[in-house]
Amino acid sequence: MTTASAATRSPRHALVTRSILRRALIDACAKLLPQHQWRNPVMFVVYLGSILTTVLWIQALAGHGEAPAGFILAVTLWLWFTVLFANFAEAIAEGRSKAQAAALRSVKRDVLAKKLAAPKYGSTTTTVGSSQLHKGDVLLVEAGDVIPADGEVIEGVASVDESAITGESAPVIREAGGDFSSVTGGTRVLSDWLVVRVTSDPGHTFIDRMIAMVESARRQKTPNEIALLILLVGFTLVFLKTTATLLPYSLYSVRVAKAGTPVTITVLVALLVCLIPTTIGALLSAIGLAGIGRMLRANIIATSGRAVEAAGDVDTLLLDKTGTITLGNRQATGIHPAPKVSEHELADAAQLASLADETPEGRSIVVLAKQRYGLRERDVHALGATFVHFSAKTRMSGVDLNGRQIRKGAADAMQAWVEDRGAQYPPEVTRLVNDIARRGSTPLVVAVDSRILGVIELKDVVKGGIRERFSELRRMGIRTVMITGDNKLTAAAIAAEAGVDDFLAEATPEAKLALIREHQKQGRLVAMTGDGTNDAPALAQADVAVAMNTGTQAAKEAGNLVDLDSNPTKLIEIVETGKQLLITRGALTTFSIANDVSKYFAVVPAAFATTYPQLGALNIMHLATPQSAILSAVIFNALIIVALIPLALRGVRYRAVGAARLLRDNLLIYGVGGVIAPFIGIKLINMALVWLRLA
Amino acid sequence: MTGNDYLQVALLLGVLALLVKPLGGYMAGVYEGRIAFLNRFAAPVENRIYRLCGVDPAEEMHWTRYALAMLSFNLLGMLAVYALQRVQAHLPLNPEAFPAVSPGSSFNTAVSYATNTNWQDYSGEATMSYLTQMAGLTVQNFVSAASGMAVLVAMIRGFARDAAATIGNFWVDMTRSTLYILLPLSLLLALVLVSQGVVQTFSAYRTVPLLQPLHYRAVRQSGAGQRITDAGDNPVTEKLVRKNQLIAVGPAASQVAIKQIGTNGGGFFNANSAHPFENPTPLSDFLEMIAIVLIPAALCYTFGSMVGDRRQGRAIFAAMAIMFVAMLVPVEHFEQAGNPLLAKTGVSQTANALQSGGNMEGKEVRFGVVNSALWATLTTTTSNGSVNSALDSFTPLAGMVPMGALQLGEVVFGGVGSGLYGMLVFAIIAVFVAGLMIGRTPEYLGKKIQAFEMKMAAVVILIPPFLILVGTAIAVMIPAGRVAAANPGPHGFSEILYAFSSAAANNGSAFAGLSSNTPFYNTALGLVMLFGRYWLMVPVLAIAGALVRKKKVPVSAGTMPTHTPLFVILLIGTIFIVGALAFFPVLALGPIAEYLKMVAVH
């Protein structure tokens, strides 16, 4: 297993490894087959142009060329390089996916499974290969075993090493019932045992889906990719006409000016390749693949490329309060004694009542008593106390110690308890309880025998930095909605503290579903995270649904993204990755088209130099000779593809600064920069050609 | 340019800016049927028209039906104009007894008027009867303009309506555009023009004695029209005296008014708005210029109003106005600078107390350089083919700008309706590329721009350059195309290029050096006009049909704002890159080469 996890990890971190690079170089040549080239219309035009100039070069060698053979050869070679560089970009991106798929496939190996005759621990087992397992089979997995298939724990508790798929080395607990009951094939049980019911047929397991996803990424085009491709084909056709019609115009000009020779086909092909959006055309598929790759590196499995893209469009996030916004458990944060009771006395009683309480709330009371009042934890057994456990009926817990009954519980339960004993429930305490509830905290009343000592305030602790995160989202134009089972008062208080835009209190699965539908009806795109089975309908309804890997199988089926780390705040990163994908596409398209301005200034005066030498005035870059000018433009056009591969793979950085500023900055960098950069680049290449005496 | 020149330009733009809001608001009200005055007094007339035509005004149309209605209506108009020209000899209101127009020219003219182009391969006062001019050409001036407005309104509904299926009723949009917008404005303008001296009469042409008899020599011709030559094969000339002249008149004012208001441009007389009976005074010139650009500019406001966000209309208007000024400045500059070759011969072209200076070749003295350049820029940026000076005589770069305006697709104000819908397609493309750069599926006015819209937008930006470039290429390759150019060298090339640019953009103006009344040009330009109009209108309606179905995405901080100066710059940049880059090489072989040769000689 260690080899598998190492293999999984390495491509996730390095942008490109040497082996991927080597493979990509070979693949780039293999992709020269027409059936490969046909898939990318923009590059296909370059491909055909390269073939055409190759033929022209052979013709020139034979002695009747339209231009010197050396010039045609130089142009031809660089056109072929342009095609190869585009293939190379795609091959690198594919290479990274392939490495990921290979690593996943090594996880998916045939292991022996212990199939149980009856679905319970201790039943007789038969040994079968994991490929023979079907939905509904029940297995026993013991310490040291690899879990043979995806399934749901129906009995037992065990620690499981899931590093093979998550890359995370710390083991996780899997147990029957609840939200941590699902296990993934290929992971390993470290301690104890589990009885697992298989939930997928062979070939449909979670890992199978991951592999399929990684491998199919290059075959399916997402809707936005298709729309962009249409635009790029449109541009290509416009420039095809522009260059193709230059031949008759040139013939006419030569005739009427009675000077010079018509423009050569080699030059027209060179001009065409320079003008059509080759930069984005070459990098488009690499950008898409890199987007899915980035998700994988963030330990998120996308079930389709569409899901990654849609993540960028999300404008409403539904976030579960527990775990996402708050730390998950309420903690004691304050002690409010009743009249004529000292804080210390209340703290002491509260600590005693909580000593045997193993819930996080109970433990936090003990911690608070120690930190603020210096009360050391006492050994309950040594004190000779008897515990009174919490029950749904009494709604209180505590200890009986030396004849004293020490209790803590919900306010109304405690009121009933003391009044039963003929005591007064102090009105000041009622006021305290109401105040605490209004603050969004939970009041816990403490009493000794029939005397109310005061109230402990339990509070949801909002995660550090979450408020800043939400205001960042707001700047991105994304609304956050907190979902909680708490009552409205509590929910409102936490919502205010965390800085979410809205909240849904007393949420039921139906209410969640209705909320999503309502937002969608307003034209919003909703993303949500979920882990429980009862989240499945809402996950299915949401536009972007992130299921937690710890969650139930139902939730995972309904989600279109699965977070292997089970970290709900990651939704924010998912949105950013989706945006990054679209931004990279837009930026490179803008750059590609903006480049054209300079190429005209390089090629047009050169192409018609013999007919209208006056057009030399347009040669503002002062390129040495007409031929070197054309060659410089073609070389720049090819090299810029290679230069931008890292940007395509890494993606343009996304900053949450609001649409207007983002647009301004990117227009400045890729639009204005795209106009200026090639002027400099072409000039430098031309100077190099002159220096090498090639001009 | 002198201070007076700046004042004239500023006055025009100032008056225009003042009129945009009231007219734009009124038009929005007309299309939304909420002008109380009209509903009370004009609705009975409108409803009677519907009853007469068997139209149910309440019926909403899917985009395909809308397109079909528009196309069939336009086809009918085309056939009517063709027929009228062919049988005009047998119809009344033909005092000069003009014969039938030739089939080729009739086809070209019928297409030209139905497509709002008004390319004229004929000379109005020597070819067309009054009836043809009025019932054929003037009627088309109204309905072709109204068709453009209807398509625009349908597209606006595509943005304005939320998850609907239909984009309005073509017959209603068409009728309202004509009845409530074009007719009242034309009536008003025609009356003012008559007050300035534009003729409006059914009487025959007048023979008027010349104040001074004209003596001249001419080649003597035989009865068969053959030149008579002497023994040395030199033509024999004779001395002639002319004491009278024939002055063409007719119902001109009514046609001139709509030719400007509907961005048509087809003159009643051959000299178009340079003719004193079409455009007699500086005031008539000023009013006609306002009329040319009034509706296209005001429609920006209508757009903003109908989509419920006036800032959107303002941004589009700003982009158009900035581009207009950017085009006007070089035209004015190069025309005022004059021709450097003339300077060598001692001709003064600088402005002084005695003359306004500049390149006065082909210009009317009563308009001068400024108003000629202003007119040329206004008419070529809108799709109005009327002229008050000879574009063919402009200096190379000053002539290139009007040609460039045609090649950009006439979106700077543009034709009535067609200018704005062309602009909105550019906006869709701008929003698509820029929208990606902010990391969202691009949206414009709350409507997501996806593959189908992109496909149709790509068609819209592909067609005009295709028609212009391929048309010109064919023309320069065949003798029939080449011989028509009057001038040698790059200027002759410009003349051919201009003709195809004008036809594809449905403009109608010309570098008049080209003799285009030939079978080749009549057919080629006729087809280019047809495709340049309907191959854009149908995809535009398809976009409207696709957009109208979409839900509106609410605005948030993540939405790309489309009303800011940044968007205006982006839109201008997109139009320049998409529209202009395709034409840079071809312009280099025409006007740019001509200009560089001219300065090189200098």
Side-chain angles (χ1 to χ4, degrees):
Chain A
M1 219 44 344
T2 48
T3 50
S5 76
T8 333
R9 295 189 73 105
S10 63
R12 279 183 190 164
H13 297 294
L15 195 58
V16 197
T17 64
R18 196 166 296 161
S19 68
I20 290 176
L21 218 56
R22 207 176 309 123
R23 266 293 296 280
L25 281 171
I26 299 162
D27 285 353
C29 298
K31 281 170 180 283
L32 283 176
L33 293 170
Q35 61 264 39
H36 263 291
Q37 295 296 324
W38 173 241
R39 289 179 40 76
N40 185 336
V42 179
M43 294 315 295
F44 189 65
V45 171
V46 184
Y47 181 70
L48 291 181
S50 312
I51 294 174
L52 183 60
T53 56
T54 308
V55 172
L56 289 171
W57 172 61
I58 295 167
Q59 193 190 26
L61 281 183
H64 6 259
E66 53 166 19
F71 171 67
I72 301 181
L73 176 66
V75 170
T76 305
L77 281 179
W78 279 101
L79 292 185
W80 281 117
F81 278 138
T82 312
V83 176
L84 282 174
F85 290 162
N87 289 349
F88 180 63
E90 198 181 69
I92 286 188
E94 278 175 8
R96 297 167 78 212
S97 306
K98 274 186 197 150
Q100 279 160 342
L104 289 171
R105 207 171 271 125
S106 70
V107 171
K108 186 186 165 252
R109 55 184 172 191
D110 212 22
V111 292
L112 293 181
K114 294 171 201 155
K115 192 171 160 186
L116 287 167
K120 62 168 200 274
Y121 186 66
S123 164
T124 54
T125 62
T126 47
T127 308
V128 294
S130 61
S131 55
Q132 262 102 58
L133 291 174
H134 290 275
K135 221 175 185 164
D137 289 349
V138 179
L139 313 172
L140 173 67
V141 194
E142 289 168 306
D145 290 351
V146 169
I147 299 175
D150 290 359
E152 194 155 10
V153 180
I154 53 175
E155 204 181 337
V157 184
S159 64
V160 178
D161 171 15
E162 293 195 339
S163 62
I165 53 163
T166 65
E168 185 58 55
S169 54
V172 292
I173 301 295
R174 291 284 176 260
E175 59 188 330
D179 290 342
F180 299 92
S181 62
S182 103
V183 289
T184 310
T187 57
R188 181 188 291 262
V189 174
L190 293 179
S191 69
D192 306 293
W193 53 265
L194 293 172
V195 175
V196 174
R197 175 175 282 129
V198 177
T199 51
S200 60
D201 284 328
H204 296 280
T205 65
F206 187 57
I207 285 187
D208 286 321
R209 271 165 53 199
M210 278 171 78
I211 294 170
M213 173 60 209
V214 169
E215 293 199 323
S216 71
R218 65 175 179 274
R219 282 184 211 115
Q220 293 164 356
K221 290 197 173 82
T222 58
N224 177 267
E225 224 174 336
I226 292 168
L228 180 58
L229 205 58
I230 290 168
L231 183 69
L232 296 181
V233 170
F235 281 136
T236 306
L237 289 176
V238 168
F239 291 121
L240 193 63
K241 286 176 316 209
T242 303
T243 42
T245 52
L246 276 181
L247 188 60
Y249 299 161
S250 175
L251 289 168
Y252 177 82
S253 299
V254 169
R255 178 198 285 260
V256 295
K258 300 182 183 67
T261 49
V263 65
T264 62
I265 295 185
T266 309
V267 169
L268 287 181
V269 171
L271 179 62
L272 174 65
V273 170
C274 287
L275 293 181
I276 62 175
T278 47
T279 314
I280 178 69
L283 298 173
L284 190 57
S285 61
I287 295 170
L289 284 166
I292 291 164
R294 271 197 297 279
M295 287 283 191
L296 275 174
R297 248 171 300 138
N299 266 346
I300 294 154
I301 302 297
T303 53
S304 76
R306 162 95 192 89
V308 182
E309 205 175 273
D313 282 352
V314 161
D315 45 19
T316 305
L317 291 189
L318 302 190
L319 299 163
D320 264 332
K321 183 198 79 175
T322 310
T324 311
I325 294 169
T326 62
L327 283 173
N329 300 303
R330 281 183 279 249
Q331 294 190 325
T333 54
I335 276 183
H336 308 275
K340 291 176 218 139
V341 179
S342 75
E343 276 190 30
H344 197 277
E345 190 184 359
L346 173 58
D348 184 66
Q351 188 219 38
L352 284 172
S354 308
L355 279 176
D357 184 351
E358 283 300 315
T359 64
E361 287 88 349
R363 263 175 278 167
S364 78
I365 295 175
V366 176
V367 170
L368 182 78
K370 185 177 171 186
Q371 284 175 348
R372 208 180 289 174
Y373 302 98
L375 294 169
R376 297 216 5 244
E377 198 173 333
R378 285 164 281 193
D379 185 350
V380 228
H381 298 280
L383 293 173
T386 7
F387 313 124
V388 180
H389 282 288
F390 180 86
S391 78
K393 202 169 160 211
T394 61
R395 287 166 49 231
M396 62 179 68
S397 65
V399 289
D400 289 343
L401 179 68
N402 306 332
R404 286 198 304 163
Q405 291 183 313
I406 308 172
R407 295 288 183 275
K408 66 182 200 312
D412 51 343
M414 294 302 287
Q415 185 171 6
W417 192 66
V418 293
E419 281 171 358
D420 272 358
R421 281 161 180 69
Q424 242 348 104
Y425 186 76
E428 292 86 352
V429 173
T430 308
R431 214 171 40 246
L432 274 174
V433 164
N434 288 342
D435 283 349
I436 291 168
R438 211 168 295 125
R439 282 200 290 272
S441 303
T442 309
L444 210 57
V445 175
V446 179
V448 176
D449 295 327
S450 56
R451 181 169 164 244
I452 299 285
L453 293 183
V455 191
I456 309 285
E457 182 172 355
L458 293 175
K459 200 175 163 194
D460 258 323
V461 180
V462 172
K463 279 185 176 174
I466 200 87
R467 207 186 160 82
E468 290 69 34
R469 211 70 204 266
F470 288 151
S471 67
E472 195 175 286
L473 284 170
R474 205 166 298 118
R475 282 199 299 278
M476 287 160 70
I478 297 172
R479 277 165 53 85
T480 44
V481 181
M482 182 182 84
I483 310 271
T484 171
D486 293 341
N487 64 50
K488 285 208 176 82
L489 213 61
T490 313
I494 295 166
E497 195 183 338
V500 291
D501 296 306
D502 203 356
F503 64 90
L504 175 70
E506 288 156 1
T508 58
E510 296 78 41
K512 275 194 212 182
L513 199 61
L515 184 72
I516 295 175
R517 289 213 174 115
E518 192 194 311
H519 275 92
Q520 286 173 335
K521 208 189 265 166
Q522 294 164 15
R524 295 179 191 279
L525 230 63
V526 182
M528 73 166 286
T529 56
D531 48 15
T533 305
N534 59 9
D535 281 334
L539 283 172
Q541 179 71 33
D543 300 284
V544 173
V546 186
M548 298 296 109
N549 192 39
T550 55
T552 60
Q553 200 62 34
K556 279 203 238 173
E557 295 281 340
N560 45 22
L561 295 164
V562 177
D563 178 12
L564 297 176
D565 295 345
S566 305
N567 171 6
T569 42
K570 218 187 251 176
L571 195 48
I572 298 168
E573 277 155 55
I574 293 173
V575 170
E576 285 184 358
T577 307
K579 285 190 179 297
Q580 205 181 19
L581 178 75
L582 296 176
I583 292 175
T584 310
R585 273 188 207 143
L588 289 181
T589 306
T590 309
F591 185 81
S592 199
I593 300 294
N595 271 205
D596 283 357
V597 178
S598 65
K599 290 166 186 170
Y600 272 127
F601 281 98
V603 178
V604 168
F608 305 109
T610 57
T611 316
Y612 294 126
Q614 299 88 353
L615 285 177
L618 296 178
N619 181 8
I620 53 173
M621 285 175 272
H622 299 289
L623 305 177
T625 59
Q627 291 190 348
S628 75
I630 290 161
L631 204 53
S632 305
V634 174
I635 294 175
F636 175 83
N637 195 53
L639 290 182
I640 196 73
I641 295 173
V642 182
L644 291 175
I645 289 176
L647 182 71
L649 294 185
R650 206 178 296 120
V652 172
R653 201 162 65 87
Y654 176 76
R655 288 161 307 132
V657 289
R661 244 195 84 190
L662 202 61
L663 178 64
R664 191 194 65 198
D665 294 354
N666 284 336
L667 265 183
L668 210 62
I669 298 170
Y670 299 100
V672 179
V675 171
I676 297 167
F679 276 104
I680 300 166
I682 292 174
K683 178 67 186 166
L684 288 177
I685 292 170
N686 195 257
M687 284 162 69
L689 288 178
V690 171
W691 187 68
L692 293 167
R693 301 190 185 285
L694 290 172
Chain B
M1 281 169 76
T2 61
N4 186 18
D5 299 342
Y6 285 112
L7 195 68
Q8 293 179 53
V9 175
L11 187 67
L12 181 94
L13 293 178
V15 170
L16 178 67
L18 284 179
L19 291 174
V20 160
K21 189 174 168 179
L23 180 62
Y26 169 76
M27 288 194 287
V30 166
Y31 291 120
E32 287 169 348
R34 51 173 173 76
I35 304 277
F37 171 81
L38 294 178
N39 290 345
R40 175 141 3 128
F41 298 105
V45 182
E46 190 189 333
N47 286 327
R48 185 151 313 153
I49 295 174
Y50 297 141
R51 263 204 305 281
L52 211 67
C53 303
V55 168
D56 173 13
E59 186 194 25
E60 281 281 330
M61 292 180 176
H62 186 256
W63 80 265
T64 45
R65 267 204 65 199
Y66 200 96
L68 211 64
M70 184 272 295
L71 289 174
S72 47
F73 181 74
N74 277 247
L75 178 69
L76 211 66
M78 233 175 274
L79 293 176
V81 176
Y82 182 83
L84 258 177
Q85 292 176 84
R86 299 291 294 137
V87 299
Q88 68 173 5
H90 313 289
L91 295 174
L93 287 176
N94 187 4
E96 301 304 313
F98 290 127
V101 185
S102 77
S105 180
S106 296
F107 161 73
N108 187 281
T109 305
V111 169
S112 166
Y113 276 77
T115 57
N116 198 252
T117 311
N118 295 30
W119 173 266
Q120 294 171 290
D121 70 350
Y122 64 92
S123 162
E125 66 269 41
T127 321
M128 302 289 180
S129 75
Y130 293 164
L131 186 72
T132 310
Q133 296 257 35
M134 282 172 23
L137 309 186
T138 307
V139 167
Q140 285 306 308
N141 279 352
F142 277 99
V143 294
S144 69
S147 297
M149 292 162 86
V151 170
L152 170 70
V153 171
M155 189 183 201
I156 295 176
R157 289 197 190 106
F159 286 110
R161 292 184 177 174
D162 194 4
T166 56
I167 53 174
N169 182 314
F170 173 75
W171 309 116
V172 172
D173 293 336
M174 163 86 213
T175 310
R176 290 196 174 154
S177 303
T178 313
L179 208 57
Y180 299 151
I181 300 166
L182 298 170
L183 262 175
L185 285 174
S186 302
L187 194 65
L188 199 67
L189 182 64
L191 288 175
V192 181
L193 289 178
V194 166
S195 81
Q196 293 300 300
V198 178
V199 292
Q200 178 78 6
T201 173
F202 282 148
S203 76
Y205 295 175
R206 300 286 177 81
T207 306
V208 186
L210 286 169
L211 293 178
Q212 215 176 13
L214 182 70
H215 299 272
Y216 64 104
R217 294 193 81 86
V219 178
R220 189 187 279 174
Q221 295 186 328
S222 72
Q226 294 271 307
R227 285 167 157 201
I228 296 172
T229 51
D230 61 13
D233 211 25
N234 295 315
V236 177
T237 58
E238 59 182 334
K239 227 174 152 184
L240 294 170
V241 182
R242 192 166 285 273
K243 295 198 176 89
N244 296 315
Q245 67 169 333
L246 184 69
I247 293 183
V249 292
S254 54
Q255 186 170 341
V256 171
I258 185 63
K259 95 168 184 193
Q260 307 299 28
I261 285 170
T263 59
N264 297 286
F268 190 89
F269 304 107
N270 189 36
N272 209 309
S273 291
H275 195 292
F277 281 173
E278 282 205 26
N279 187 9
T281 64
L283 178 63
S284 71
D285 191 70
F286 179 80
L287 290 175
E288 287 187 33
M289 283 198 284
I290 290 284
I292 285 167
V293 71
L294 182 60
I295 293 182
L299 280 172
C300 294
Y301 188 89
T302 309
F303 163 69
S305 172
M306 286 180 76
V307 298
D309 184 356
R310 301 220 168 110
R311 299 170 309 173
Q312 305 291 347
R314 222 173 291 151
I316 298 277
F317 179 81
M320 289 179 168
I322 291 168
M323 290 180 75
F324 175 75
V325 172
M327 287 195 251
L328 177 66
V329 170
V331 180
E332 295 279 5
H333 170 78
F334 287 110
E335 282 306 278
Q336 193 64 53
N339 185 340
L341 298 181
L342 282 177
K344 280 204 302 194
T345 63
V347 175
S348 165
Q349 296 174 86
T350 46
N352 57 39
L354 296 174
Q355 62 164 18
S356 58
N359 171 31
M360 281 302 286
E361 182 193 313
K363 290 188 180 61
E364 287 290 308
V365 179
R366 65 183 189 281
F367 305 135
V369 167
V370 172
N371 279 310
S372 299
L374 189 53
W375 184 290
T377 315
L378 270 176
T379 51
T380 51
T381 51
T382 63
S383 113
N384 191 309
S386 68
V387 288
N388 73 351
S389 59
L391 289 171
D392 204 27
S393 299
F394 274 37
T395 54
L397 291 188
M400 180 178 81
V401 174
M403 182 150 40
L406 306 180
Q407 291 163 347
L408 285 185
E410 306 234 289
V411 292
V412 178
F413 300 117
V416 284
S418 63
L420 188 52
Y421 67 62
M423 190 63 152
L424 292 177
V425 170
F426 273 115
I428 286 176
I429 289 172
V431 156
F432 183 80
V433 177
L436 286 179
M437 275 198 291
I438 60 159
R440 294 232 317 206
T441 299
E443 62 204 39
Y444 186 47
L445 304 173
K447 299 285 182 136
K448 282 205 155 66
I449 308 298
Q450 288 157 319
F452 183 78
E453 293 79 37
M454 258 357 263
K455 208 178 287 174
M456 292 301 127
V459 169
V460 172
I461 61 160
L462 266 174
I463 297 293
F466 176 81
L467 296 172
I468 296 169
L469 293 172
V470 175
T472 308
I474 293 171
V476 298
M477 277 194 293
I478 62 172
R482 283 197 297 263
V483 293
N487 298 68
H491 193 74
F493 182 68
S494 298
E495 287 173 355
I496 299 174
L497 179 62
Y498 194 98
F500 282 95
S501 304
S502 177
N506 296 136
N507 181 279
S509 65
F511 269 21
L514 191 78
S515 330
S516 67
N517 193 356
T518 65
F520 169 71
Y521 280 104
N522 274 336
T523 316
L525 295 177
L527 291 176
V528 168
M529 286 188 274
L530 273 179
F531 296 142
R533 178 81 166 174
Y534 303 109
W535 277 5
L536 303 197
M537 277 181 154
V538 173
V540 163
L541 285 174
I543 291 176
L547 288 178
V548 84
R549 293 173 172 280
K550 300 189 184 203
K551 250 184 286 185
K552 263 183 174 266
V553 180
V555 175
S556 74
T559 311
M560 185 177 86
T562 52
H563 59 267
T564 57
L566 184 67
F567 179 75
V568 172
I569 295 169
L570 174 73
L571 186 56
I572 294 173
T574 307
I575 294 168
F576 175 75
I577 294 221
V578 175
L581 279 189
F583 292 100
F584 183 77
V586 72
L587 291 174
L589 290 178
I592 295 176
E594 189 188 351
Y595 170 77
L596 291 171
K597 278 178 101 166
M598 180 176 85
V599 260
V601 173
H602 177 54

